Amino acid sequence: MDVGKIQFIDRLRLGFAVSVAKSVTFIVQFLRLGAASVLPGAIARRIQPRLLELLSQQVKNGVILIAGTNGKTTTALLLCTILERKGYRIAHNSTGANLENGLMSALLESTNLLATLDVDYAILEVDENIVPRVLTPLQPRIILCLNLFRDQLDRYGEVDTISKRWTKVISTLPAQTVVIPNADDPTLSNLGQQLPQRVLFFGLNEPEHYLEAIPHAVDSIYCPKCGHSLNYKGVYLSHLGDFTCPKCGFTKSKPTLESSEWSQILVGLYNKYNTLAAATAAIELGVDQATIRDSINNFQAAFGRAEDLVINGKRVRILLSKNPVGTNETIRVVTESTDKTTLLVLNDRTPDGTDVSWIWDVDTEKLVERGGTLVVSGDRVYDLALRLRYSEKSLQSKLNLIVEEDLRQAIATALEHTPENETLHILPTYSAMLEVREILTGRKIL
C-alpha cells in the first residue's frame, strides 16, 4: 500500500474517531455522568490507534509533558495559567486524567469536527508509569520531571526502576527536546546529567527550610551512580535536598533559577517546587518574568490540591494525600496551623493503589501529638485508625479520635467539631478526594 493511501486512511479514521468522541462527550455530559475525561479517548483510540501521534503533531508550538509522583496537576495548571495570560490557546488534561485515554480525551476536546486541533500548546500531565509509552507519539518540546517517590508499589515498583525507563526513552528523543528535572532529587539530577538533550534544572537553595532530620518516608538516599550512601547538607522533604556522594563525587545539579528570589503558590514547601518547575519552563518558552510572577501571586488551586471551599459558613481545605511523602507534607501544613480538626480519608481503590501499608511510613505522630479532633473514614478506615492509635505516646493522649465508616457522616461530624473561626483540613487519597468534593459541592469531576 502506497504512502498516500495510508495517509488518507489514517485521516479518514481520525475524522471518524473525532466525530464519535464528540458524540460520546455530549451524551456523557448531557446525562451528567461525569466530565467525559477518559471514555471519549478510550473509544476514539480503538477507531484510530495512532490518535495520540496524529493529534499531537498538530499542536503549533509543541507539547509540554509533566511527569512525577507529586505535583503534576498543580504545576500543569500554573503553567497553563501563565501561557493563557499571554494569549496562547492551550489543550490541557485539567481533570487530572493522566493515562493514555485521558491524554487523548484532552486533545480531542480541543479538536473540531474536521479533526483539526487548533492550539498553540498542549500541556499534559502524565502518570509516571506510562511516560515511556507516550514519549515517542507525543514528541514533546519540553519534559518537566518533578520528583520520584514511592507511590503505589503494587503498580509501579521502586523509583530507580522508573528512572531507568525514563532515561532510556528520553535519550532517544530529538536533540532540541528540553528536559527540566528536579535538581534536589538525586535520581532525577542524575537522569539530567546523563541526557544528550538540553537540560535545565530547578530546585531550592534555602537552607532555612531544611527539616530537622531525614523523615521515615525517604526513598533515594543512595548515590544513583555508585550506590554509596549520600551525604546530605540538609533535606527539604523526603530525599530532596542538598547532597554529594563522598565516593564518586556525584552532586546536586545547579538550578537555573535562584529559588529565594521567587515567591510560591499555595501552602506547603512542596508547592515551591511546583512553582519553580513551571517558572523555569515558562522562561524557556519566552514568557516575561512579570507575567510569571503575577500569575504566581494570583494563582487559584486545582481541585483537591490545597483547594479552599466554604461549606455552611465554615472554611474547608482539601489537601490530597496519596503517598508517604505527600501525606507528610500535608501533615506539616496542618501542624503549622492553629486549626484543631482534621478529617483523614483512606481508600484502596485502583486510582489509590491497593496496598495501603504506606501509611506506616507516614509521620502521623506529629499530627497526633498536637491533640485536637481527628475524624477518620474511607474504605480502610480501621487501618487508618489503628495507625493513629499506634502514634499515641501515652494513654493520656489529648487526641479525640472519631471513627466513622460513612464518608458523608464523617464530613458532617468533622464540620460540627470545627469552630467558626477555624479551618477543617481534609486529607484524602485520590478516589476519596473525588468523593469528598462531590459531597461538598454536589458535582462530579470525573
Side-chain angles (χ1 to χ4, degrees):
M1 189 178 292
D2 62 72
V3 175
K5 192 171 183 180
I6 292 174
Q7 290 176 342
F8 174 76
I9 293 174
D10 269 341
R11 189 70 186 179
L12 194 63
R13 282 184 173 178
L14 179 61
F16 183 50
V18 170
S19 298
V20 172
K22 294 288 186 184
S23 299
V24 171
T25 299
F26 174 78
I27 293 170
V28 170
Q29 293 180 349
F30 180 77
L31 296 177
R32 297 185 177 181
L33 299 175
S37 59
V38 175
L39 186 60
I43 295 174
R45 180 184 184 187
R46 289 182 174 273
I47 300 170
Q48 173 49 279
R50 295 182 61 217
L51 183 74
L52 198 58
E53 176 187 353
L54 293 173
L55 289 181
S56 61
Q57 287 174 354
Q58 299 185 49
V59 180
K60 293 179 181 178
N61 297 332
V63 173
I64 301 165
L65 186 150
I66 300 175
T69 309
N70 294 339
K72 295 185 292 292
T73 299
T74 301
T75 304
L77 181 58
L78 174 56
L79 185 54
C80 186
T81 301
I82 293 169
L83 293 177
E84 285 181 336
R85 287 173 69 93
K86 296 300 292 183
Y88 293 114
R89 296 183 302 280
I90 311 294
H92 173 214
N93 52 335
S94 58
T95 62
N98 55 28
L99 300 178
E100 282 128 311
N101 293 335
L103 306 183
M104 294 176 193
S105 295
L107 296 177
L108 284 164
E109 185 180 356
S110 299
T111 304
N112 63 27
L113 290 173
L114 297 177
T116 300
L117 179 60
D118 185 20
V119 296
D120 299 301
Y121 292 99
I123 299 177
L124 301 175
E125 62 163 286
V126 179
D127 181 281
E128 57 266 39
N129 203 38
I130 71 162
V131 167
R133 298 205 300 266
V134 301
L135 280 179
T136 299
L138 285 176
Q139 290 290 298
R141 174 176 173 176
I142 292 179
I143 304 172
L144 274 168
C145 304
L146 301 183
N147 47 61
L148 282 176
F149 302 124
R150 279 180 298 151
D151 184 45
Q152 303 185 38
L153 288 175
D154 53 316
R155 292 176 59 203
Y156 299 152
E158 293 291 349
V159 296
D160 56 347
T161 302
I162 297 173
S163 173
K164 288 176 182 176
R165 294 204 301 263
W166 283 16
T167 305
K168 182 178 180 180
V169 180
I170 294 175
S171 62
T172 66
L173 294 175
Q176 62 267 31
T177 306
V178 178
V179 185
I180 306 178
N182 188 335
D184 295 357
D185 187 320
T187 304
L188 294 182
S189 194
N190 179 55
L191 177 151
Q193 292 176 16
Q194 295 182 68
L195 294 174
Q197 290 87 1
R198 182 159 179 260
V199 179
L200 307 173
F201 291 93
F202 70 93
L204 298 181
N205 184 23
E206 302 176 52
E208 65 272 20
H209 293 308
Y210 285 159
L211 294 174
E212 294 180 0
I214 295 179
H216 293 117
V218 64
D219 299 318
S220 302
I221 57 174
Y222 296 96
C223 177
K225 286 186 176 292
C226 71
H228 193 278
S229 180
L230 292 170
N231 284 345
Y232 275 88
K233 184 178 180 181
V235 295
Y236 296 108
L237 64 95
S238 185
H239 58 269
L240 306 189
D242 297 322
F243 54 83
T244 56
C245 176
K247 184 176 181 180
C248 71
F250 169 70
T251 189
K252 168 181 171 176
S253 305
K254 181 175 176 56
T256 302
L257 302 180
E258 176 56 57
S259 66
S260 61
E261 297 175 358
W262 291 81
S263 60
Q264 71 174 71
I265 55 172
L266 309 175
V267 296
L269 190 63
Y270 54 95
N271 276 314
K272 186 67 177 280
Y273 280 110
N274 298 334
T275 305
L276 292 168
T280 302
I283 290 173
E284 171 62 19
L285 293 171
V287 181
D288 59 281
Q289 290 198 20
T291 298
I292 298 171
R293 294 180 187 278
D294 190 56
S295 299
I296 291 169
N297 294 334
N298 294 283
F299 182 74
Q300 297 295 317
F303 61 90
R305 281 79 170 178
E307 179 184 19
D308 290 331
L309 303 171
V310 176
I311 307 296
N312 298 332
K314 295 184 179 180
R315 188 181 177 197
V316 176
R317 174 172 288 166
I318 304 174
L319 299 163
L320 178 64
S321 305
K322 63 188 182 74
N323 52 39
V325 173
T327 305
N328 276 345
E329 288 307 298
T330 56
I331 286 176
R332 193 199 308 196
V333 171
V334 173
T335 55
E336 287 177 353
S337 74
T338 58
D339 307 306
K340 296 298 184 181
T341 305
T342 306
L343 168 62
L344 300 98
V345 192
L346 177 65
N347 284 353
D348 61 351
R349 303 173 195 176
T350 300
D352 312 294
T354 56
D355 181 358
V356 298
S357 61
W358 61 267
I359 63 175
W360 294 92
D361 289 327
V362 177
D363 297 326
T364 49
E365 288 77 11
K366 296 178 181 179
L367 191 60
V368 169
E369 286 171 11
R370 73 195 299 262
T373 298
L374 295 183
V375 183
V376 294
S377 188
D379 300 339
R380 300 298 289 269
V381 59
Y382 294 105
D383 296 78
L384 186 54
L386 181 65
R387 174 69 186 101
L388 294 173
R389 282 302 184 198
Y390 266 94
S391 301
E392 295 179 281
K393 292 185 176 180
S394 70
L395 295 176
Q396 285 72 44
S397 169
K398 297 179 182 180
L399 176 67
N400 176 27
L401 180 62
I402 301 174
V403 179
E404 178 54 64
E405 293 183 26
D406 182 81
L407 180 56
R408 189 174 294 273
Q409 183 56 48
I411 293 173
T413 300
L415 284 169
E416 289 174 5
H417 282 79
T418 304
E420 294 289 342
N421 61 337
E422 292 189 7
T423 296
L424 167 61
H425 290 91
I426 302 180
L427 279 56
T429 55
Y430 186 78
S431 70
M433 179 268 290
L434 298 179
E435 288 185 285
V436 167
R437 285 197 85 265
E438 184 179 359
I439 292 171
L440 291 177
T441 67
R443 298 191 304 274
K444 287 185 177 181
I445 297 173
L446 300 178

